[in-house]
Amino acid sequence: MAIDYQSLKNWPIPDQLSRYTREDCIRYALSLGYGEDPLDAEDLPFVYEQGLRAVPSMVTVLGAPGAWATDPGTGIDWMRILHGEHRTVLHGSLPPEGCLRSRTRVTAVVDKGQGRGALVVTTREVSDEATGRLLATIEHTSFCRADGGFGPGDDAPAALPAVPAEPADTTVQLRTVPSAALLYRLNGDRNPIHADPAAARSAGFERPILHGLCTYGMAVRAVLRACCGNRPERLGSFSLRFSAPFIPGETLAVEIWRRGAQVQFRASALERGQAVLTHGLAAVHGA
């Protein structure tokens, strides 16, 4: 079945309610590598209940709409979907515990042409269920490799800028352990390609790969540390493009360019010299 533009654009995605605890908050931070050095006072507020802070990117795993694209009625060949880009605007700080309501809708369906695939963009609004306060707006772009050629669709989202040509202002290196994906999957994404070697091989990978949203959270960690004094309330937005898989056990090297309130970044697997996150763009509040 091919994509039907109008049907997919109006695809109903149920609201999600997500209750989470301080323990969930700490587990998420640990899965990004926080607390690797138990004597690091800058990491401690994210992994210790006294004065606990939530990593802003935790909002990406709370209230996610689930595997709605696996429904045959969407016309999407879901086995060939890649996570293309992820853009988050933060309207307020995420509490370290609470209940969130997420409303997701399909906002763009882009035909790149026969044999070139399609882009499907969803927009998710995440609010505090108790107060109704909007906390984040998340735009998720899926590259549907097998689904181009369905006909007229929407324009693609505005392109994220490439990083500057000059050397980065700073680089943050974040080590991972070989079991990193097994820990991160406890946040809710149980896709077997992150745990089962056979499943990973059937998807075309030599071994299980790390979740894209884990590397996303690690890049948030790097920018928080380098540009925000580890104060989550100072991060206003965070966007990037996924460009290659990252293997648990590798080191993520995050290059950062700071231009006032605008931060650009790129992240690579240090040992392979392979860029895995590109076109990174963040907004930072305050000095």
Side-chain angles (χ1 to χ4, degrees), residues 9 11 13 103-107 121-125:
K9 190 71 178 289
W11 192 265
I13 301 175
R103 293 186 170 94
T104 304
R105 65 192 189 281
V106 177
T107 48
V121 182
T122 59
T123 299
R124 176 158 57 105
E125 294 184 333

Side-chain angles (χ1 to χ4, degrees), residues 192-209:
I193 68 170
H194 304 298
D196 183 347
R201 286 192 295 270
S202 70
F205 304 110
E206 292 183 0
R207 57 187 300 166
I209 62 174

Side-chain angles (χ1 to χ4, degrees), residues 2 16 32 56 70 93 98 100 128 145 158 177 180 184 192 203 207 211 231 258 271 276 278:
Q16 300 285 334
L32 301 182
T70 62
S93 296
L100 304 182
D128 186 303
R145 293 178 288 169
V177 295
Y184 185 84
R207 57 187 300 166
H211 305 67
R231 302 301 305 186
R258 180 76 184 269
E271 291 80 2
V276 297
T278 63

Side-chain angles (χ1 to χ4, degrees), residues 210-259:
L210 194 60
H211 305 67
L213 283 180
C214 184
T215 57
Y216 181 95
M218 291 174 66
V220 166
R221 178 186 170 199
V223 170
L224 277 181
R225 189 178 187 102
C227 304
C228 301
N230 268 336
R231 302 301 305 186
E233 67 274 11
R234 292 187 55 200
L235 189 63
S237 64
F238 204 83
S239 303
L240 55 77
R241 182 180 299 172
F242 299 101
S243 58
F246 183 82
I247 307 301
E250 295 181 323
T251 302
L252 190 72
V254 185
E255 300 169 90
I256 297 171
W257 291 260
R258 180 76 184 269
R259 301 292 183 269

Side-chain angles (χ1 to χ4, degrees), residues 99-115:
C99 181
L100 304 182
R101 178 175 293 274
S102 293
R103 293 186 170 94
T104 304
R105 65 192 189 281
V106 177
T107 48
V109 182
V110 182
D111 188 359
K112 295 174 66 67
Q114 187 68 41

Side-chain angles (χ1 to χ4, degrees), residues 69-237:
T70 62
D71 189 312
T74 65
I76 296 172
D77 182 350
W78 67 272
M79 288 294 290
R80 298 188 65 188
I81 291 177
L82 294 176
H83 194 165
E85 294 183 352
H86 210 79
R87 312 186 189 200
T88 302
V89 177
L90 298 161
H91 307 290
S93 296
L94 183 68
E97 61 184 340
C99 181
L100 304 182
R101 178 175 293 274
S102 293
R103 293 186 170 94
T104 304
R105 65 192 189 281
V106 177
T107 48
V109 182
V110 182
D111 188 359
K112 295 174 66 67
Q114 187 68 41
R116 300 180 59 203
L119 302 178
V120 177
V121 182
T122 59
T123 299
R124 176 158 57 105
E125 294 184 333
V126 183
S127 302
D128 186 303
E129 178 67 0
T131 65
R133 183 169 63 106
L134 182 64
L135 295 177
T137 302
I138 301 170
E139 186 177 278
H140 178 132
T141 298
S142 296
F143 177 36
C144 304
R145 293 178 288 169
D147 300 307
F150 58 82
D154 299 306
D155 292 332
L160 293 168
V163 298
E166 62 264 25
D169 298 317
T170 188
T171 299
V172 178
Q173 295 186 8
L174 301 173
R175 295 181 297 178
T176 64
V177 295
S179 59
L182 298 175
L183 176 58
Y184 185 84
R185 69 194 302 268
L186 299 180
N187 295 307
D189 185 343
R190 301 301 178 94
N191 189 322
I193 68 170
H194 304 298
D196 183 347
R201 286 192 295 270
S202 70
F205 304 110
E206 292 183 0
R207 57 187 300 166
I209 62 174
L210 194 60
H211 305 67
L213 283 180
C214 184
T215 57
Y216 181 95
M218 291 174 66
V220 166
R221 178 186 170 199
V223 170
L224 277 181
R225 189 178 187 102
C227 304
C228 301
N230 268 336
R231 302 301 305 186
E233 67 274 11
R234 292 187 55 200
L235 189 63
S237 64

